[in-house]
Amino acid sequence: MNPRSPRPFQPTTAEAEAWADVLVRRQLLHAVVRTPTGQWLVQERPNGPVRVLALPADVLALTATIQQHTRSTRPESR
């Protein structure tokens, strides 16, 4: 796998919201809520602890981690 080069710009709130929606719809996270202060509250499962993420970049970093984990645990289809 080729490592990706760093992004030339910061992720937007809209991009983070889109990824948060995908993660919840695909049931990879239980809930992701953006607060009026711009922080993000993330809950992996019902009744689980709530994490606070400060920036859209943090949401995208979490998304990348989940994607990497999902891909590494998926059986190979050949």
Side-chain angles (χ1 to χ4, degrees):
M1 182 188 316
N2 295 333
R4 295 178 140 229
S5 39
R7 293 172 60 117
F9 54 88
Q10 291 297 313
T12 65
T13 299
E15 186 178 10
E17 287 174 344
W19 276 111
D21 183 55
V22 168
L23 294 173
V24 172
R25 277 190 290 120
R26 297 211 176 239
Q27 299 178 351
L28 297 168
L29 292 174
H30 175 67
V32 180
V33 176
R34 184 170 173 254
T35 68
T37 63
Q39 294 178 317
W40 300 79
L41 305 178
V42 178
Q43 191 175 30
E44 290 185 29
R45 59 189 178 281
N47 301 319
V50 175
R51 294 173 50 188
V52 179
L53 303 179
L55 302 168
D58 297 332
V59 176
L60 266 62
L62 176 61
T63 301
T65 299
I66 291 170
Q67 286 179 327
Q68 183 177 19
H69 176 74
T70 301
R71 289 178 180 153
S72 70
T73 58
R74 178 178 11 174
E76 288 294 321
S77 57
R78 295 180 192 201

